[in-house]
Every structure is written in structure tokens, then in C-alpha cells.
Amino acid sequence: MKILIAGFEGDTNSAKILLDSIKDTNNIDILYLKNSFEISKKQIEDKMLQNYDYILIFGQKPKTKNIYLENNAILEDTKLITDYYYGVLKVFLEKANFKVLSSNDAGNYLCNNVFFGALNFKRKNKLKTKVAFIHIPTINNIEDIMKISSVLLDYIKTLSDIFNIAILQLNPTGTMEGNLLKGIEYCKKAKEMGADIAVFPEMWNTGYEMLFEGNLKDQDNISQEKIDNWNSKAISDNHKFISCYMDLAKQLEMSIAITYLEETGDKPKNTAMIINKNGEVILKYSKVHTVDSKMEAYTQPGLAFKTCDLEYTRGTVKIGTMICFDRDFPESARVLMLQGSEIIIVPNACYMSQIRLDQLKVRAYENMLGIVTINYANHGGKSSAYSPIVRNINKQELESELLIMDDQEAVKIVKFNMSEIREYRSKETLGDAYRKPKAYKKLIENNVQKPFIREDSRR
């Protein structure tokens, strides 16, 4: 985690005095900004090229004892809004009895100029750096600047509360052994990149091999031999394919979400298994919404959605799982939210059109949780991730899209700040607070009504 704290020079400048008090802190870089429009802007831009995760810029504000969290900067007719989420910082400051205001006025001098420059540079260069600007009172209006320093250092610890998910957007090899070895290779890459968990696309052991293409109703007499051959690729939980990933998770000290066609006494299941960093299975979920109009009619649906507690380096996160077609039904994510899920992983094997991406964005928004979808490269890629945080503390809209990949094989890390997500979920209006379940009885009726009656439908 790379963090930069910046503030303007000047022996009596409260921002400079604040920086002096924390400059020897480990893992924090300090930047003293020159009192010059051009030089300070250039200083920030040079630092932003070093790929900081967070940049917090401090300036002083006269004639006040309040602290102002700036949401935007304005230059001429252009307004740029920061995507920095101040909620956790506001809580920390208020607990220390500071009066904190969410502001849309960064001023019209050096502070606004450097803030606008940073936001504009971020936009033009498509950087992921989160940029904040905080106005603190002048030194004569601060009773104890060391108190602000202490709060800031405590808050900065939460910026490292990051849960890292590795998206393994891969192509299958054509064999189970090949998929096993390729998966091991890419899990090792994920670990090198700092992943807490690596997640595979849907049914990785077979590469989502199709029993047949197209719709079930269009098939002519699928032979039992063909069905038996496809079923033979289903594996049990004690198969080498699974045990190797259990051993790998323990070796790497990294969780792995492996997917496979699961052998049962009947039709196989489309299953995802989460293995923790100790090599233990902590969740096993089988796809509930099988695509019964296509070849998944030859699989057996799962019966329930599941959530687990996953330990990672910095804490514990509640993880839920959906698989591909599950995401088309709002009930899937809703149930997982009600079970406590903070993040949902979605192994996938289909073309991700814009409407499907928008659908996932809405699932994250309406349930106030993070969603990460992992697709095959040869199914069009576009693996994606969305944050639940869609508004800043001043109710301005934020972009919740964290990542949409292209169609190439790659490993990408998605970062979720769990402190920010939890603070946001504790106050915003969606999720479970204002639901009216007594009015939803129709949702659990078992009959299908016109015009949705289908011969291949199965409840």
C-alpha cells in the first residue's frame, strides 16, 4: 500500500506542521508543496506517476476551527469530483471531537489549484490513485495539532485494510490435467501479485466443455454414450484435481476458489469450492439457476446459496458465491446479502454484454456489496468488479466500476477497502434496512405463470 501525504510549506502553516509530526512514520511518504501554482501542480503530478494508492493533500483554512473534507475542485467552468470516500476519516475525526464538514468549495487559490491539477491528471492518465484534499484550521485556531496527527495515523491504518481478489481470466487447455497445471501456474502468479484469494472461471476442470451447442429443444437424440462421456469428466471432492489445489492453497498461504463439474450419484453439479489459506474447504456451492434450456439441463441444480467467513492477512471478510446464470436473478445476490455477504464472487462462462455488466453493477448497488465476475478469455473476457460505494459523503455520485477487462488472458487484482465498505454499509439506505418482506410472498410461490411457461423449466 503506497500512501502519500502532502501539504504546503511555511513555518506557521498548519499543514506543514502536521506533516512534520508524521514524517518519520513507516510506509508513509511526505511531500512539502511549494507555494507556487505551477510548481505545486508539477510536484503532485510527478508523484502520481509513482502509482500511489492514496494521496491525501492538506491545506489550511483561515477563520474557522472546523475541518473541511473537499469533494471537488473547480477551475473556470470545469468541476472535477474526487472518488475519494471520506466516510471513515469523518468518523475518526468526529470521535476525536472535531467538527467536520463535507465541502464542495476547495477555494480559489493554491489549494483548489493543486487539487484540480491532481484530479485532472488522474482523469487524463486513467490512474487508480484516490486523491483527497482536507482543509484544517490555521495553527492559531487548532488547540492541539498533535491530536489531528494521532487521528490521521489511526485512520491511515484503515487504508491498508484491503482485501485483494485475483481474477484468473484464462483459456482452458483442452484437458483436465492441462487445466490443473495451468491453474497452478496462474495461482502462483496471483500470489506474487499480492492476492488474498484467486478465483477461476466456471467449471474450470473441464473448461466448461459443452455437451452440445445451442438449445436443448433443437437437439436430435443425444446418444447415451455422449452423455456418459461428458458425465465421466465429473470429479468427486477427493479427486486429485481438488486435492492439488488444497495443497497449493496451504503452500501459498492464499485462498483459492476452484470450480468444477462435480460427480454425484445422479446428474453432476456445477460447483464452486472456496479453499482457505490453510488448505481447508470453507464453502462448497452448486449453481442454483442452471440454464435448463441448454446443456445444463443435464446437470443437477444446487439447493441453497452460501456464505463463509474468509480470513485474510488483515482480517476476516464474508464471501458469497453465485455462478454465471445466478446473476440474472436478483434473488441470488439478495439472499447472499441477507446471509451477511460483503463480497460476492461470480465464476462465469458466457459472453458478457453491456447489459450483463450493468446488471452486476446494479446487484452491487442494491445490496451494498462488492461483486467480482471471473470469465473465460475465449468467452469474450470482460471479467469485472464493482464497488458498493456509489456516493460520497456529500451525496455526489461516484463511479462504482473498479475493473472491466478486455478479452485477453490475464491475472488482475481487484482491491476492496473493507473499512470503507463497512462504514458505507452501516449508514446508507439500501441493503436490508427498509425492505418490506411481508409484501414479497409471491416470490416464493412455485407455479409459473404466463407468459413465462416453458416446457424445459424445472423448479
Side-chain angles (χ1 to χ4, degrees):
M1 180 62 54
K2 291 186 65 177
I3 300 169
L4 176 70
I5 309 296
F8 285 96
E9 287 183 336
D11 290 341
T12 61
N13 190 313
S14 56
K16 190 263 185 187
I17 295 169
L18 177 65
L19 265 61
D20 286 345
S21 70
I22 64 172
K23 65 182 179 181
D24 295 324
T25 305
N26 291 336
N27 303 318
I28 299 175
D29 291 343
I30 297 296
L31 173 64
Y32 293 98
L33 296 167
K34 299 292 184 182
N35 291 294
S36 159
F37 282 90
E38 291 302 319
I39 295 175
S40 60
K41 179 172 170 288
K42 180 70 163 51
Q43 285 178 289
I44 283 292
E45 290 177 352
D46 288 345
K47 284 291 187 181
M48 292 181 75
L49 290 174
Q50 297 178 30
N51 293 318
Y52 282 93
D53 295 286
Y54 295 95
I55 296 179
L56 282 72
I57 310 170
F58 285 85
Q60 66 176 5
K61 195 177 186 75
K63 300 178 182 179
T64 185
K65 291 187 177 182
N66 303 328
I67 295 175
Y68 292 80
L69 308 176
E70 304 296 349
N71 291 295
N72 52 253
I74 302 172
L75 190 62
E76 296 178 347
D77 295 327
T78 303
K79 177 194 286 188
L80 298 180
I81 298 174
T82 182
D83 60 355
Y84 198 97
Y85 184 69
Y86 288 109
V88 179
L89 176 58
K90 187 171 187 286
V91 168
F92 272 68
L93 288 166
E94 288 177 339
K95 282 183 178 178
N97 297 317
F98 290 103
K99 185 170 182 181
V100 184
L101 299 177
S102 181
S103 169
N104 287 328
D105 182 10
N108 57 7
Y109 196 56
L110 284 169
C111 294
N112 179 75
N113 184 72
V114 77
F115 192 28
F116 185 95
L119 295 177
N120 196 39
F121 192 78
K122 169 185 166 79
R123 179 183 63 170
K124 286 183 175 179
N125 293 279
K126 298 180 180 179
L127 302 177
K128 294 295 185 181
T129 306
K130 302 285 187 180
V131 182
F133 196 100
I134 300 109
H135 269 122
I136 60 176
T138 53
I139 196 65
N140 59 304
N141 282 320
I142 299 175
E143 292 181 8
D144 184 0
I145 196 164
M146 296 307 295
K147 190 176 180 182
I148 296 180
S149 173
S150 177
V151 171
L152 178 60
L153 291 176
D154 286 341
Y155 165 68
I156 285 172
K157 292 175 185 175
T158 72
L159 297 182
S160 297
D161 186 14
I162 302 296
F163 179 55
N164 294 308
I165 300 179
I167 294 175
L168 307 185
Q169 181 170 288
L170 307 178
N171 286 326
T173 65
T175 69
M176 192 181 311
E177 182 68 17
N179 290 346
L180 171 62
L181 296 175
K182 185 171 185 175
I184 289 172
E185 174 191 352
Y186 276 84
C187 280
K188 289 178 178 178
K189 289 183 180 180
K191 176 63 178 179
E192 290 172 0
M193 295 168 68
D196 292 304
I197 185 171
V199 189
F200 285 91
E202 181 179 9
M203 216 187 287
W204 174 243
N205 79 306
T206 70
Y208 201 80
E209 180 183 327
M210 303 285 280
L211 176 56
F212 56 81
E213 298 283 349
N215 293 322
L216 178 64
K217 65 181 181 180
D218 298 327
Q219 306 307 309
D220 293 325
N221 299 321
I222 303 169
S223 70
Q224 189 61 46
E225 181 182 2
K226 186 175 182 180
I227 295 170
D228 290 344
N229 180 59
W230 187 74
N231 284 343
S232 71
K233 296 173 183 178
I235 59 175
S236 66
D237 292 350
N238 58 9
H239 191 277
K240 172 190 172 184
F241 188 87
I242 302 296
S243 61
C244 280
Y245 282 110
M246 293 174 70
D247 292 341
L248 181 65
K250 188 173 182 178
Q251 173 194 333
L252 297 178
E253 296 183 328
M254 178 189 74
S255 299
I256 296 172
I258 189 62
T259 58
Y260 57 107
L261 184 63
E262 181 192 358
E263 181 182 44
T264 73
D266 192 5
K267 292 180 179 180
K269 292 182 177 180
N270 185 339
T271 297
M273 175 185 286
I274 296 181
I275 304 163
N276 70 14
K277 61 183 180 179
N278 300 318
E280 302 162 338
V281 176
I282 58 171
L283 181 147
K284 180 181 169 186
Y285 165 72
S286 296
K287 187 175 186 177
V288 169
H289 295 103
T290 48
V291 189
D292 297 335
S293 61
K294 297 181 181 294
M295 70 99 173
E296 284 189 355
Y298 286 85
T299 65
Q300 183 180 169
L303 299 176
F305 294 100
K306 298 180 181 180
T307 299
C308 66
D309 291 320
L310 179 69
E311 290 186 11
Y312 64 107
T313 306
R314 293 155 295 280
T316 302
V317 60
K318 281 196 172 290
I319 294 283
T321 304
M322 305 189 297
I323 298 177
C324 202
F325 194 42
D326 285 328
R327 69 165 189 276
D328 283 6
F329 301 89
E331 296 87 350
S332 308
R334 183 65 90 196
V335 169
L336 288 170
M337 179 274 292
L338 293 173
Q339 291 176 348
S341 290
E342 298 171 301
I343 304 290
I344 297 176
I345 54 174
V346 191
N348 194 78
C350 71
Y351 176 72
M352 294 304 296
S353 59
Q354 186 60 51
I355 193 65
R356 285 172 169 165
L357 292 170
D358 292 341
Q359 184 182 61
L360 290 161
K361 189 174 188 177
V362 171
R363 295 285 172 269
Y365 164 67
E366 65 196 4
N367 293 293
M368 294 203 301
L369 43 71
I371 290 189
V372 179
T373 301
I374 306 88
N375 199 25
Y376 285 96
N378 64 350
H379 281 76
K382 291 191 178 295
S383 298
S384 62
Y386 296 96
S387 166
I389 300 176
V390 299
R391 298 184 186 91
N392 63 24
I393 61 174
N394 214 37
K395 303 302 181 184
Q396 293 167 308
E397 189 168 326
L398 302 177
E399 176 54 69
S400 63
E401 176 192 309
L402 299 178
L403 173 72
I404 297 178
M405 294 175 66
D406 58 20
D407 61 356
Q408 300 301 302
E409 281 194 307
V411 179
K412 294 287 186 180
I413 298 289
V414 180
K415 300 180 178 184
F416 289 97
N417 185 304
M418 298 312 301
S419 292
E420 291 180 358
I421 288 174
R422 286 164 183 159
E423 191 279 334
Y424 182 86
R425 297 181 95 214
S426 73
K427 293 181 178 177
E428 286 294 326
T429 57
L430 294 182
D432 194 28
Y434 300 104
R435 293 174 63 250
K436 300 291 188 289
K438 290 180 181 178
Y440 307 157
K441 293 178 182 178
K442 194 75 177 173
L443 288 175
I444 59 172
E445 290 182 3
N446 228 8
N447 58 310
V448 181
Q449 300 184 17
K450 292 181 179 180
F452 304 112
I453 296 170
R454 307 287 187 273
E455 290 182 5
D456 51 23
S457 173
R458 52 178 176 172
R459 287 293 203 204

